[in-house]
């Protein structure tokens, strides 16, 4: 029996003397494994890359790494327990922020940037104190220089962010190089944190967890994907109200309508006019109408060969949107302008729509004076019934526009916002306003920009109005803008009817 015990003792000594591979040590060492996750999580959430959606993807990974790292160490001391609680808040705030970015209502929330920045500072402070506490327990020097440097760096970033609204500018290459250099040095110091306890003889015990790390990653990915899908589907539209059109609403105004049709007004436009707008056209003297069809698809390429030259042109088999621009002349030098649109094919995505109106009474056109407000209505057909609704808003409040040619400028031109119905055919509508002549010889010149979403990838969610005011033009972003204008000189029959469209 004594020989057996001696043999067991000798065998245990031999096995414990065998050197284990570094990766095996890291696998069974809770401190090293947790600190590696914390270091990587800190790096991915502190500074991000603003291209290829990495500014969203990298922090999405970083917040989970921080959670997993602090979850392992949460029983070690109270500071790591606080870090774990703050990492839960990081997860929740990141989730809410990213899901709200998939909606058009995120800009209506109060700014949370300052609160989240403060949360990051508190977490870095707790990390600094937690590392110091662990080193004291291990009999090492009570300091954590890398964590202190990280805290100082983040304090500087927050201070500069608060000062960024003033005269301080950090867009120069000099500042960028300095901050990048400091960040690299701090990250190199943080990379040494997992090895702090090597050889100290102090063992950190991992806190238990109900969910495995794989389950945490899968749950996070599923919840995030589901939240983005639901938010992007349900909350990327304006609230609209629709009601059936009253049968025979133009019954008492048939004479006016027939007169307009005889003068050349498109039949669809005449039928869509509300009774109040139709009544304003009584006694019309002339109608100038232009119709333009705009494609909202990529079309197809068609090649032809002429000698040694290959000609390539884009052919559109379908032009989804028909735009009709109409000017109705009334007695007394008055005119009524109507801008009508009709989706004669499936519009595709039905999120937000924007019509920007440049009326003939805008700045620089002093020969005209506007009568009344801009009005209009929306219509669509579904299962044999025609429905109508009002625009979500028709605003003339001042706003800032950006243009590649003219830069930033202020405008008060009317903007109409709405969403197409989730289902329905022949979605259509119009805007109308009246003008009167102040001085003869002025160009009657009225434009509209119709902006519609054509690509599903639109994150963070941008509205058609934001696209229209951003100065971005077709070919960039998720939207397409159709622009038409009616332009002619009422006093000159030779030039009447000249029309330009882009």
């Amino acid at each position: 029996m004594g020989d057996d015990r001696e043999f067991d003792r000798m065998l245990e000594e031999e096995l414990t003397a065998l050197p284990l591979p570094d990766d095996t040590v890291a696998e069974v060492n809770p401190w090293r494994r947790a600190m590696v996750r914390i270091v990587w999580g800190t790096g991915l959430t502190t500074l991000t890359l603003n291209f290829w959606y990495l500014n969203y993807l990298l922090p999405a990974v970083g917040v989970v790494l921080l959670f997993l790292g602090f979850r392992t160490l949460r029983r070690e001391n109270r500071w790591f327990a606080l870090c774990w609680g703050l990492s839960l808040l990081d997860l929740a705030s990141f989730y809410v922020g990213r899901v709200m970015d998939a909606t058009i209502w995120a800009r209506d929330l109060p700014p949370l940037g300052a609160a989240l920045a403060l949360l990051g500072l508190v977490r870095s402070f707790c990390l600094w104190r937690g590392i110091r506490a662990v080193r004291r327990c291990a009999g090492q020097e009570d300091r954590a220089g890398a964590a202190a440097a990280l805290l100082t760096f983040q304090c500087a970033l927050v201070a500069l962010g608060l000062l960024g609204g003033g005269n301080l500018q950090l867009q120069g290459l000099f500042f960028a190089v300095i901050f990048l250099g400091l960040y690299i040095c701090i990250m190199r110091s943080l990379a040494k944190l997992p090895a702090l306890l090597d050889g100290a003889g102090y063992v950190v015990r991992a806190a238990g967890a109900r969910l495995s790390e794989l389950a945490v990653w899968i749950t996070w990915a599923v919840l995030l994907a589901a939240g983005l899908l639901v938010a992007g589907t349900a909350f990327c539209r304006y609230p609209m109200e629709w009601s059936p059109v009253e049968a025979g609403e133009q019954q008492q105004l048939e004479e006016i309508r027939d007169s307009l049709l005889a003068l050349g007004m498109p039949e669809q436009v005449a039928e869509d006019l509300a009774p109040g707008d139709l009544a304003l056209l009584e006694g019309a003297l002339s109608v100038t109408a232009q119709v333009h069809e705009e494609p909202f698809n990529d079309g197809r390429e068609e090649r032809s060969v002429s000698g040694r030259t290959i000609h390539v042109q884009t052919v559109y088999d379908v032009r989804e949107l028909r735009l009709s621009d109409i000017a109705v002349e009334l007695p007394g030098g008055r005119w009524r302008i109507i801008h009508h649109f009709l989706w004669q094919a499936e519009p595709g995505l039905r999120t937000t729509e924007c019509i920007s109106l440049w009326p003939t009474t805008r700045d620089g056109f002093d020969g005209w004076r506007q009568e009344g407000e801009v009005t209009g209505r929306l219509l669509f057909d579904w299962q044999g019934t025609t429905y109508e609704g009002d625009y979500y808003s028709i605003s003339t409040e001042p706003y800032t526009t950006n243009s590649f040619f003219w830069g930033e400028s202020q405008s008060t031109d009317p903007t109409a916002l709405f969403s197409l119905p989730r289902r329905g055919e022949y979605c259509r509508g119009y805007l109308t306003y009246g003008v009167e002549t102040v001085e003869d010889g002025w160009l009657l010149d009225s434009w509209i920009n119709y902006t519609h979403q054509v690509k599903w990838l639109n994150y963070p969610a941008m509205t058609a109005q934001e696209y229209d005011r951003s100065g971005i033009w077709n070919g960039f972003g998720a939207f397409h803008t159709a622009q038409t204008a009616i332009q002619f000189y009422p006093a000159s029959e030779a030039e009447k009817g000249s029309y330009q469209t882009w």
Side-chain angles (χ1 to χ4, degrees):
M1 182 67 68
D3 291 341
D4 291 340
R5 292 178 178 175
E6 182 64 21
F7 177 77
D8 290 340
R9 184 185 63 79
M10 293 176 59
L11 180 61
E12 182 178 355
E13 291 179 352
E14 290 294 331
L15 290 175
T16 55
L18 290 175
L20 295 176
D22 292 340
D23 56 350
T24 303
V25 173
E27 187 69 23
V28 299
N29 187 337
W31 169 261
R32 178 180 289 272
R33 187 178 182 86
M35 291 308 298
V36 167
R37 281 158 173 71
I38 291 171
V39 170
W40 274 101
T42 300
L44 294 177
T45 56
T46 302
L47 292 181
T48 56
L49 304 175
N50 292 319
F51 57 87
W52 297 341
Y53 289 95
L54 293 179
N55 53 326
Y56 300 106
L57 296 175
L58 296 183
V61 175
V63 291
V64 178
L65 290 175
L66 287 172
F67 167 76
L68 293 175
F70 288 125
R71 186 182 70 165
T72 301
L73 302 177
R74 70 183 186 277
R75 301 285 176 81
E76 188 62 25
N77 56 57
R78 61 177 181 174
W79 299 108
F80 282 134
L82 286 173
C83 286
W84 178 65
L86 293 173
S87 70
L88 286 173
L89 290 178
D90 277 341
L91 278 173
S93 60
F94 182 88
Y95 181 84
V96 171
R98 299 295 74 78
V99 170
M100 288 303 301
D101 282 341
T103 76
I104 63 173
W105 310 109
R107 66 277 299 154
D108 294 334
L109 292 178
L112 300 178
L116 294 178
L118 180 61
L119 187 67
L121 291 180
V122 175
R123 188 187 65 232
S124 296
F125 175 79
C126 293
L127 174 64
W128 172 56
R129 294 300 301 271
I131 294 174
R132 290 180 58 186
V134 169
R135 298 198 69 183
R136 282 197 305 270
C137 293
Q140 296 181 343
E141 187 176 1
D142 183 9
R143 65 184 181 88
L150 174 65
L151 178 60
T152 304
F153 181 77
Q154 290 181 334
C155 287
L157 286 181
V158 171
L160 292 173
L162 294 175
L163 294 174
N167 296 325
L168 183 63
Q169 297 292 332
L170 294 178
Q171 300 176 358
L173 180 62
F174 177 73
F175 285 102
V177 171
I178 289 179
F179 273 83
L180 181 60
L182 289 174
Y183 182 68
I184 292 175
C185 293
I186 292 173
M187 291 308 298
R188 290 187 62 183
S189 298
L190 288 175
K192 300 176 182 179
L193 290 179
L196 282 179
L197 301 184
D198 288 355
Y202 182 79
V203 178
V204 173
R205 298 186 181 278
R210 295 182 179 180
L211 287 179
S212 67
E213 292 187 359
L214 178 60
V216 170
W217 284 109
I218 294 176
T219 302
W220 175 247
V222 170
L223 288 177
L224 196 57
L228 293 174
L229 180 62
V230 172
T233 303
F235 301 102
C236 274
R237 296 170 44 81
Y238 297 120
M240 304 292 295
E241 295 184 0
W242 306 95
S243 59
V245 174
E246 183 180 351
E249 62 174 3
Q250 294 184 352
Q251 187 172 2
Q252 305 298 324
L253 304 169
E254 292 180 351
E255 185 176 348
I256 299 176
R257 186 186 63 187
D258 294 342
S259 174
L260 293 171
L261 294 175
L263 291 172
M265 177 176 285
E267 183 176 358
Q268 184 68 65
V269 177
E271 291 179 354
D272 290 340
L273 292 176
D277 292 326
L278 183 59
L280 293 175
L281 303 181
E282 185 176 6
L285 303 177
S286 67
V287 172
T288 301
Q290 300 289 342
V291 179
H292 171 67
E293 293 184 341
E294 178 75 12
F296 279 75
N297 60 82
D298 296 332
R300 58 182 176 84
E301 285 190 355
E302 191 173 86
R303 297 173 179 265
S304 60
V305 180
S306 177
R308 297 183 177 181
T309 304
I310 299 178
H311 301 279
V312 180
Q313 63 176 350
T314 301
V315 177
Y316 298 98
D317 297 319
V318 177
R319 295 177 179 267
E320 295 89 341
L321 186 65
R322 187 172 74 193
L323 297 165
S324 302
D325 305 294
I326 299 151
V328 180
E329 184 181 8
L330 300 170
R334 296 180 299 113
W335 292 80
R336 195 77 187 172
I337 311 300
I338 303 171
H339 292 285
H340 182 276
F341 71 89
L342 166 66
W343 285 97
Q344 52 191 3
E346 173 58 40
L349 296 172
R350 303 189 184 209
T351 55
T352 61
E353 315 288 315
C354 174
I355 300 179
S356 292
L357 174 65
W358 300 351
T360 195
T361 55
R362 63 188 181 274
D363 292 342
F365 285 74
D366 300 330
W368 300 96
R369 179 170 55 244
Q370 185 167 323
E371 287 186 325
E373 301 294 330
V374 177
T375 62
R377 73 168 175 173
L378 304 165
L379 303 104
F380 73 94
D381 296 338
W382 177 248
Q383 295 182 343
T385 302
T386 299
Y387 295 84
E388 67 171 341
D390 295 326
Y391 285 88
Y392 174 71
S393 71
I394 300 178
S395 174
T396 56
E397 296 180 359
Y399 61 88
T400 301
T401 59
N402 293 294
S403 171
F404 178 81
F405 299 100
W406 299 286
E408 189 175 284
S409 61
Q410 294 292 323
S411 177
T412 57
D413 296 330
T415 301
L417 307 179
F418 63 101
S419 290
L420 299 175
R422 291 188 180 277
R423 57 183 182 181
E425 301 173 330
Y426 301 109
C427 301
R428 56 199 186 273
Y430 66 88
L431 292 175
T432 180
Y433 65 98
V435 296
E436 62 176 332
T437 305
V438 175
E439 183 180 346
D440 292 335
W442 283 81
L443 178 72
L444 194 153
D445 180 45
S446 187
W447 297 66
I448 65 164
N449 284 355
Y450 187 109
T451 302
H452 171 75
Q453 185 175 340
V454 294
K455 298 178 182 177
W456 68 268
L457 184 57
N458 179 30
Y459 187 87
M462 174 184 283
T463 65
Q465 180 189 32
E466 291 170 335
Y467 181 89
D468 176 71
R469 295 180 179 180
S470 67
I472 307 173
W473 201 241
N474 296 336
F476 301 92
F479 294 84
H480 179 84
T481 298
Q483 186 179 77
T484 63
I486 187 166
Q487 299 174 309
F488 62 88
Y489 286 93
S492 174
E493 292 296 331
E495 297 177 348
K496 187 173 182 178
S498 67
Y499 180 74
Q500 298 179 6
T501 180
W502 282 263

